[in-house]
């Protein structure tokens, strides 16, 4: 491998990572560092110097010790924008590019492209590979370009050209075949990334470094939700349970139908099964009745032309019949025959097809579904007695605060009864968690540490309330931080704001931690909007909060720039449409208005004042898991 002093390297990291959920691809953690750092390590020895083209997280890239160049061209984050920027700033006669998501790029990339370019007196050289029996695949993002070609590229871009392999169509370009196909593998999805680097559980910093602007002191709700979503991991373990016991649990694998449901074509009505061809379109139809088919009783009735069979709902359609006339539509009826008026029936009416509900071999239920009563019935209709569900999530929780008293204790001056213990219990119970109720823990470092350690050793997740706000005794935060990877946020929301989140470890066991604020309403809001989805994800379920739209009865004052949750009462207006009004005092400690409410009005970050009659998002309490 030779260093070529006439070549500058350029790592293309300007994309928006749209296939990775809009994370910054180059900064994705990969095998001990980040993807872009791997590319840098492989490119640097080949060239005089390396620069990175990026449009976000510029400081993080600069910390690699390289020059960072932003696109000059606005509104287009494709690789050509980066290339143009690079050519414009490049101080050597050649520029070599590589994408930030190619951590395995060949160590002789520059050397071989340069040799081919010189040998053929070309303007540009790019890499290609060929798998056995396949066509040659070009990799135009791995290319060596003469810096002097800047005007050609600029002209192409000015005309609206955007394709990496389109701009050099009138130039002399050489394709250089490389043997190692994997060296050009780029990583496009987070799943791909994790499958290549399964060794390490993610750290919070890995996740937060991908946000384009991360400020723990002023974190928007949706960023907090995203960090939590990406950080928590499903427990994975599966258990087989009897069908009834699966109610409310999360299905661990798809359930594939072993049979057609229904198994046979059958009648949807009580009436007469007939041949559609026999229907007279412009006059009465006379049909002779030749037998009766009951549901569940096989029959060998096989009516010929001009004949029909009396049939009950669910009865198997006799051979040759394709329609059923409901008995109330029959004009005349006797043991011998029936008369139908013209237009009573169309051929094919009231026949249910075999497999109409479910076809054999097709998935009846998908993994990740929370099993509801209809699902129990569906599984039963397939004759399946047991189903695989994700094991119950164990969640330990406790309340913190010296002022807290348990029910049954005397309420001395300045103390309050611990209500969070009960709301949290209720919310966890609804989620179907296995609950470890640890009661009240005093504001005392040793007691807190012991409680957190015990929770960690006995549960998958820990929920605490109180002690995470700024005014609270600091050691709660200190101890949480000492036991693991925990971050403390001030979230742009009301009520709520302080939240501790992360993972702590003790004696080789670890658990995800949600340190909720202490105020009784804040605790519920934080649970519903942060902990709930995370716990469901750990259980393998994907169940976003079911928000619906309703008309606001009155005006609501709202500051843009933070999310507000107001307690509301949803009802129906005179026009039958859902409408909502705010209820009671909205202070974050006032649980009574939470209890009076039947929903929460969600006013998102960007939303300003709400006018009477405007639509708002609403989260219903009933039906919420
Ligand atoms: P903290 O977050 O610990 O500063 O608590 C904020 C407020 O919530 C204080 O007024 C506490 O008394 C109250 N609080 C904290 N925990 C509970 C609880 N478990 N039940 C009822 N109120 C609580
Ligand atoms: Mg407290």
């Amino acid at each position: 491998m030779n260093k070529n002093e006439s070549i500058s390297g350029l790592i293309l990291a300007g994309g928006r990572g749209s296939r990775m959920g809009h994370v910054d691809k180059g900064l994705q953690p990969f095998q001990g560092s980040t993807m872009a750092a791997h590319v840098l390590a492989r490119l640097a020895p080949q060239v005089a110097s390396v620069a990175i083209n990026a449009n976000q997280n510029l400081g993080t890239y600069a910390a690699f010790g390289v020059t960072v160049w932003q696109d000059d061209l606005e509104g287009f984050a494709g690789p050509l924008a980066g290339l143009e920027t690079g050519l414009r700033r490049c101080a050597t006669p050649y520029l070599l590019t590589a994408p930030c998501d190619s951590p395995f790029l060949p160590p002789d990339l520059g050397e071989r492209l340069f040799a081919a370019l010189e040998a053929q007196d070309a303007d540009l050289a790019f890499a290609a590979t060929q798998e056995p029996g396949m066509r040659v695949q070009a990799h135009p993002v791995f290319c060596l370009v003469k810096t002097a070609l800047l005007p050609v590229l600029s002209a192409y871009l000015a005309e609206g050209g955007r394709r990496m392999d389109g701009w050099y169509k009138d130039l002399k370009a050489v394709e250089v075949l490389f043997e190692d196909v994997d060296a050009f593998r780029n990583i496009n999805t987070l799943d791909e990334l994790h499958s290549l680097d399964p060794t390490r559980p993610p750290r919070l910093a890995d996740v937060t470094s991908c946000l384009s602007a991360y400020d723990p002191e002023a974190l928007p709700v949706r960023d907090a939700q995203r960090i939590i979503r990406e950080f928590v991991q499903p427990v994975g373990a599966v258990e087989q349970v009897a069908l009834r016991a699966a109610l409310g649990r999360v299905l661990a694998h798809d359930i594939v139908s072993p049979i057609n449901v229904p198994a046979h074509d059958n009648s949807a009505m009580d009436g007469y099964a007939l041949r559609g061809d026999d229907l007279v379109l412009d006059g009465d139809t006379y049909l002779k009745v030749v037998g009766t088919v009951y549901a569940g009783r096989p029959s060998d009735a096989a009516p010929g032309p001009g004949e029909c069979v009396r049939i009950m709902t669910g009865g198997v359609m006799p051979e040759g019949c394709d329609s059923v006339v409901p008995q109330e539509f029959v004009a005349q009826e006797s043991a011998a025959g029936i008369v139908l008026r013209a237009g009573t029936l169309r051929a094919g009416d009231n026949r249910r097809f075999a497999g109409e509900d479910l076809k054999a071999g097709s998935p009846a239920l998908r993994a990740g579904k929370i099993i509801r009563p209809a699902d129990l019935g569906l599984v039963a209709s397939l004759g399946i007695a047991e189903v695989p569900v994700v094991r119950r999530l164990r969640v330990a929780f406790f309340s913190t605060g010296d002022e807290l008293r348990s029910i049954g204790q005397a309420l001395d001056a300045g103390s309050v009864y611990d209500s969070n213990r009960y709301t949290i219990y209720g919310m966890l119970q609804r989620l179907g968690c296995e609950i470890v109720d640890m009661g009240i823990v005093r504001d005392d470092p040793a007691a807190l540490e012991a409680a957190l350690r015990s929770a960690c050793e006995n549960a998958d997740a820990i929920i605490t309330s109180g002690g995470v706000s700024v005014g609270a005794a600091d050691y709660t935060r200190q101890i949480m931080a000492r036991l693991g990877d925990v971050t403390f946020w001030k979230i742009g929301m009301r009520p709520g704001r302080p939240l501790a989140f992360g993972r702590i470890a003790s004696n080789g066991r670890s658990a995800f931690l949600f340190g909720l604020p202490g105020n009784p309403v804040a605790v519920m809001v934080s649970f519903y909007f942060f902990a709930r989805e995370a716990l469901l994800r750990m259980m393998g379920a994907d169940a976003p909060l079911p928000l619906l739209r309703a008309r606001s009865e009155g005006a609501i004052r709202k500051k843009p720039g933070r999310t507000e949750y107001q307690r509301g009462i949803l009802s129906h207006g005179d026009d039958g449409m859902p409408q909502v009004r705010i209820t009671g005092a909205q202070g974050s400690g006032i649980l009574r208005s939470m209890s009076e409410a039947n929903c929460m009005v969600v006013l998102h970050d960007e939303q300003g004042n709400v006018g009477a009659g405007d639509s708002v998002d609403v989260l219903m309490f009933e039906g919420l898991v």
Side-chain angles (χ1 to χ4, degrees):
M1 177 169 59
N2 283 320
K3 194 178 195 73
N4 189 326
E5 293 293 342
S6 64
I7 305 178
S8 305
L10 180 67
I11 299 174
L12 298 169
R16 298 190 210 287
S18 42
R19 275 186 286 179
M20 273 199 182
H22 297 282
V23 301
D24 192 337
K25 257 195 198 180
L27 296 180
Q28 284 299 304
F30 187 70
Q31 297 186 352
S33 62
T34 59
M35 288 226 272
H38 281 274
V39 177
L40 177 62
R42 287 186 166 234
L43 198 57
Q46 308 187 33
V47 293
S49 66
V50 178
I52 295 184
N53 161 236
N55 294 309
Q56 51 183 333
N57 300 313
L58 306 180
T60 315
Y61 284 115
F64 288 8
V66 297
T67 314
V68 180
W69 293 328
Q70 246 181 302
D71 287 359
D72 296 322
L73 193 63
E74 280 194 18
F76 169 57
L80 278 191
L83 180 60
E84 187 192 35
T85 300
L87 290 178
R88 197 169 279 148
R89 291 171 177 67
C90 177
T92 55
Y94 300 93
L95 182 70
L96 174 65
T97 63
C100 66
D101 57 351
S102 56
F104 312 111
L105 76 103
D108 55 356
L109 180 71
E111 191 179 343
R112 293 199 47 203
L113 293 181
F114 187 75
L117 190 141
E118 290 246 286
Q120 304 197 29
D121 194 21
D123 296 311
L124 169 157
F126 60 90
T129 50
Q130 185 168 30
E131 292 200 62
M134 307 280 277
R135 290 196 312 170
V136 172
Q137 197 185 350
H139 303 290
V141 208
F142 298 80
C143 74
L144 181 72
V145 190
K146 283 187 173 159
T147 308
L149 295 179
L150 172 64
V152 181
L153 176 59
S154 296
Y156 176 75
L157 286 168
E159 282 165 20
R162 292 294 181 258
R163 285 182 56 89
M164 190 66 193
D165 53 1
W167 72 279
Y168 50 76
K169 55 186 181 305
D170 299 325
L171 300 175
K172 182 159 185 199
V174 289
E175 187 173 82
V176 179
L177 207 59
F178 284 76
E179 288 66 46
D180 183 5
V181 175
D182 284 340
F184 295 91
R185 171 133 66 134
N186 59 354
I187 297 169
N188 280 315
T189 64
L190 282 174
D191 280 350
E192 251 166 44
L193 183 75
H194 292 146
S195 70
L196 288 168
D197 187 11
T199 48
R200 195 170 60 96
R203 285 189 307 255
L204 269 169
D206 299 338
V207 182
T208 56
S209 70
C210 299
L211 291 180
S212 45
Y214 171 65
D215 180 2
E217 292 294 305
L219 193 66
V221 167
R222 73 169 68 86
D223 284 352
Q225 288 171 330
R226 198 173 108 193
I227 295 168
I228 294 173
R229 188 179 308 135
E230 287 191 11
F231 190 65
V232 297
Q233 286 168 349
V235 292
V238 175
E239 59 195 27
Q240 192 79 5
V241 299
L243 182 53
R244 283 191 186 87
L247 185 63
R249 305 286 296 272
V250 178
L251 190 63
H253 306 304
D254 289 357
I255 295 213
V256 172
S257 177
I259 53 171
N260 273 325
V261 180
H264 308 279
D265 286 10
N266 66 78
S267 172
M269 292 285 181
D270 288 336
Y272 295 88
L274 52 87
R275 300 161 169 273
D277 284 349
D278 283 344
L279 290 169
V280 177
L281 297 179
D282 50 3
D284 289 354
T285 303
Y286 299 88
L287 296 170
K288 185 174 164 207
V289 180
V290 297
T292 302
V293 179
Y294 296 95
R297 272 197 240 160
S299 148
D300 47 15
E307 296 177 344
C308 68
V309 167
R310 176 127 174 79
I311 193 165
M312 306 306 151
T313 306
V316 174
M317 288 295 278
E319 192 70 38
C321 292
D322 58 9
S323 321
V324 172
V325 58
Q327 93 196 12
E328 56 273 28
F329 290 180
V330 174
Q332 285 174 38
E333 190 171 25
S334 72
I338 59 170
V339 180
L340 305 184
R341 301 277 180 251
T344 314
L345 193 73
R346 282 169 313 169
D349 279 357
N350 304 316
R351 167 170 57 159
R352 297 176 184 150
F353 287 95
E356 173 180 284
D357 206 349
L358 271 175
K359 289 219 165 9
S362 65
L365 287 178
R366 295 281 186 189
K369 189 155 207 284
I370 299 176
I371 298 176
R372 295 177 301 140
D375 305 319
L376 291 185
L378 182 64
V379 174
S381 75
L382 305 179
I384 295 175
E386 289 187 338
V387 289
V389 294
V390 180
R391 82 152 162 80
R392 273 188 205 283
L393 196 68
R394 275 173 76 84
V395 183
F397 70 101
F398 59 83
S399 307
T400 68
D402 285 340
E403 76 282 23
L404 302 180
R405 297 290 175 273
S406 295
I407 299 175
Q409 289 183 327
L411 203 57
D412 41 330
S415 58
V416 293
Y417 283 122
D418 175 6
S419 61
N420 293 348
R421 181 179 187 177
Y422 293 84
T423 43
I424 293 175
Y425 162 85
M427 294 184 291
L428 287 174
Q429 190 73 37
R430 285 268 175 110
L431 281 181
C433 300
E434 199 175 298
I435 293 170
V436 185
D437 180 349
M438 298 175 64
I440 298 170
V441 176
R442 280 172 299 121
D443 281 327
D444 163 71
L448 271 165
E449 173 161 354
L452 283 169
R453 283 188 180 279
S454 154
C456 182
E457 288 163 31
N458 290 296
D460 305 300
I462 306 165
I463 308 251
T464 67
S465 73
V468 291
S469 59
V470 185
D474 304 63
Y475 41 75
T476 309
R477 297 168 52 130
Q478 275 171 25
I479 291 161
M480 286 179 173
R482 186 148 51 79
L483 291 179
D485 187 14
V486 180
T487 178
F488 300 89
W489 290 328
K490 287 203 186 83
I491 300 179
M493 65 187 284
R494 221 171 104 138
R497 231 159 101 77
L499 189 82
F501 171 69
R503 178 169 39 204
I504 62 171
S506 178
N507 283 324
R509 304 287 302 268
S510 75
F512 290 97
L513 172 71
F514 299 84
L516 308 184
N519 273 311
V521 178
V523 89
M524 293 193 75
V525 170
S526 309
F527 184 97
Y528 281 136
F529 289 90
F530 300 111
R532 175 191 169 279
E533 186 185 336
L535 297 175
L536 285 169
R537 261 184 108 75
M538 293 176 72
M539 294 187 237
D542 194 13
L545 281 172
L547 296 183
L548 55 89
R549 300 285 283 174
R551 185 173 62 209
S552 177
E553 283 185 52
I556 309 172
R557 289 172 65 88
K558 159 74 170 59
K559 266 214 263 193
R562 67 178 185 208
T563 302
E564 290 187 13
Y565 303 92
Q566 308 239 4
R567 284 137 265 177
I569 295 185
L570 189 98
S571 59
H572 286 97
D574 294 337
D575 57 358
M577 300 301 282
Q579 61 182 21
V580 65
R581 77 186 149 83
I582 302 305
T583 172
Q586 298 285 325
S588 67
I590 301 175
L591 201 51
R592 187 168 63 96
S593 54
M594 195 74 173
S595 166
E596 280 168 7
N598 63 6
C599 69
M600 217 151 7
V601 178
V602 184
L603 304 171
H604 299 281
D605 268 32
E606 55 288 352
Q607 167 110 49
N609 287 336
V610 176
D614 289 355
S615 287
V616 289
D617 271 343
V618 162
L619 176 73
M620 291 301 296
F621 288 145
E622 212 34 67
L624 187 63
V625 291

